[in-house]
Amino acid sequence: MATITYLTTVQFGFGELKTIAPGLTDLKIARPLIVADRGLAATDLIQRLRSASPLLGNAPLFVDTPTNPTEEAVEAALALYREHDCDGLVAIGGGSPIDLAKGVALLAGHDGPLETYAAILGGIPKVTGKVAPVIAVPTTAGTGSEVGRAALITLKDGRKLGFISPHLIPKLAICDPELTLGLPAMLTAATGMDALTHCIETYLSPRENPPAEAIALDGLKRAALNIERATKDGSDREARKEMLMAALQGGLTFQKGLGAVHALSHPLGGLKQVSLHHGTLNAVLLPAVLRFNEQASGAKYAEIRRVLGLSADADLAAWVAGLTQRLGLPGSLSQMGVPRDVLPAIAEAATQDHSSATNPRQASAADYLAMLEASFG
Ligand SMILES: [Zn+2]
């Protein structure tokens, strides 16, 4: 167990859910809105959360969070927040409820529409300290959103945009591995590959930030050592704890910026005709992006190989593809149901994504299209 203060206060360890009661008091939240999703509502996790504080026992609950959070869902949750005169949010679940709660927290203190605050549209300085406080309780080990400054939300016109500000960072993250023990194998694998991708992409980002790079490499090592164990045996407490730490570390390094994998997976995640899991998308896209970036990242690739215990001439892209296959995840975009005819538009959208700017090698729409073709299968 440890108390870590980096940007968010983090309570980490088995049984730490109990710290939510003093956490609510410290943040002066008296009337919280709980944000979750339908998948979580089918488990006992919301009940366990409610039991952890009297303030949560009868708190209003929003469960209609889509896999990829939408502006419509933010508005519906905001209406519930206002109806109950709430003064803060508790988001429990994977990245989707946490990102949705950030969107609600933003609009609770700022005039809409949401688009005004999108990073790519110049919205970053418009987000102020009026964002309502958020406590994040992750139940997957992947997103890192519990300590991240971004929320990814699909607007009504279909654009999946990033909302980025230090004010959007949850004030408190409660990372209790006990809550991840029941996560099904495929979700363990997919969300775990998201965490692993965060560590690789932030490490490769050209932004100068050695402390964040050290965290990213440590997170990568934990993820690589434990993702198969946690997927094979969900009750492996040590592996669960290590994966939750890897996810947290991936999130702590978001300040360096992500790269081409996320520049591509964001618009793919915004597709309306097919619902695509973010972590699975990243696992499928990562090999092609690693091949594309290699010429710009030689020394860093050597360091990644060293951390992973691979030989000096090992093919990192092949290592990732092998891992994805052993985890039982889809190996290509076509297997995931992505229609081929959307690829040119996705490639174009990737050049506009906020993560594109921190890819180590500048990628044009043609480059992105080539990476998509290589991942299509
Ligand atoms: Zn991600």
Side-chain angles (χ1 to χ4, degrees), residues 103-289:
V104 175
L106 170 61
L107 289 187
H110 297 73
D111 292 333
L114 198 54
E115 181 181 6
T116 315
Y117 307 98
I120 203 79
L121 303 174
I124 294 176
K126 296 177 191 163
V127 182
T128 71
K130 289 181 180 165
V131 175
V134 174
I135 297 177
V137 186
T139 61
T140 68
T143 165
S145 186
E146 64 272 17
V147 289
R149 60 195 63 203
L152 273 296
I153 297 167
T154 307
L155 297 184
K156 288 171 187 165
D157 63 11
R159 284 174 300 164
K160 183 171 181 173
L161 297 183
F163 298 80
I164 302 173
S165 165
H167 298 296
L168 291 175
I169 299 173
K171 299 285 183 286
L172 172 64
I174 297 177
C175 300
D176 185 342
E178 195 85 45
L179 307 180
T180 70
L181 291 175
L183 192 67
M186 277 307 98
L187 272 176
T188 301
T191 53
M193 285 304 289
D194 190 26
L196 185 141
T197 306
H198 293 160
C199 292
I200 291 179
E201 287 218 287
T202 52
Y203 176 62
L204 295 179
S205 150
R207 249 180 225 164
E208 175 110 8
N209 191 331
E213 288 187 3
I215 292 171
L217 287 177
D218 190 73
L220 172 60
K221 189 174 179 181
R222 285 177 208 267
L225 285 174
N226 291 283
I227 189 169
E228 288 177 87
R229 272 176 64 187
T231 301
K232 205 189 240 173
D233 177 8
S235 64
D236 184 329
R237 295 171 74 84
E238 183 66 17
R240 289 293 196 187
K241 187 187 82 172
E242 291 292 300
M243 286 309 296
L244 194 58
M245 182 53 82
L248 172 70
Q249 290 176 300
L252 287 174
T253 67
F254 283 158
Q255 57 197 287
K256 279 200 78 203
L258 291 158
V261 176
H262 279 77
L264 287 164
S265 68
H266 290 153
L268 281 165
L271 288 176
K272 291 237 159 93
Q273 57 268 54
V274 51
S275 180
L276 301 165
H277 189 273
H278 174 73
T280 311
L281 278 173
N282 291 341
V284 167
L285 293 163
L286 185 53
V289 172

Side-chain angles (χ1 to χ4, degrees), residues 10-29:
V10 180
Q11 298 296 346
F12 190 96
F14 283 96
E16 289 297 293
L17 180 60
K18 65 177 185 294
T19 62
I20 200 161
L24 285 161
T25 307
D26 289 350
L27 291 167
K28 300 184 171 55
I29 301 175

Side-chain angles (χ1 to χ4, degrees), residues 316-343:
L316 277 185
W319 178 82
V320 171
L323 176 61
T324 301
Q325 189 183 31
R326 292 197 298 282
L327 290 169
L329 291 170
S332 68
L333 294 175
S334 59
Q335 271 181 41
M336 291 183 73
V338 176
R340 188 183 269 279
D341 62 359
V342 303
L343 299 187

Side-chain angles (χ1 to χ4, degrees), residues 72-94:
E72 289 92 336
V74 169
E75 288 176 355
L78 180 66
L80 190 63
Y81 183 93
R82 293 206 165 125
E83 185 190 325
H84 290 268
D85 192 26
C86 294
D87 55 5
L89 297 108
V90 174
I92 180 164

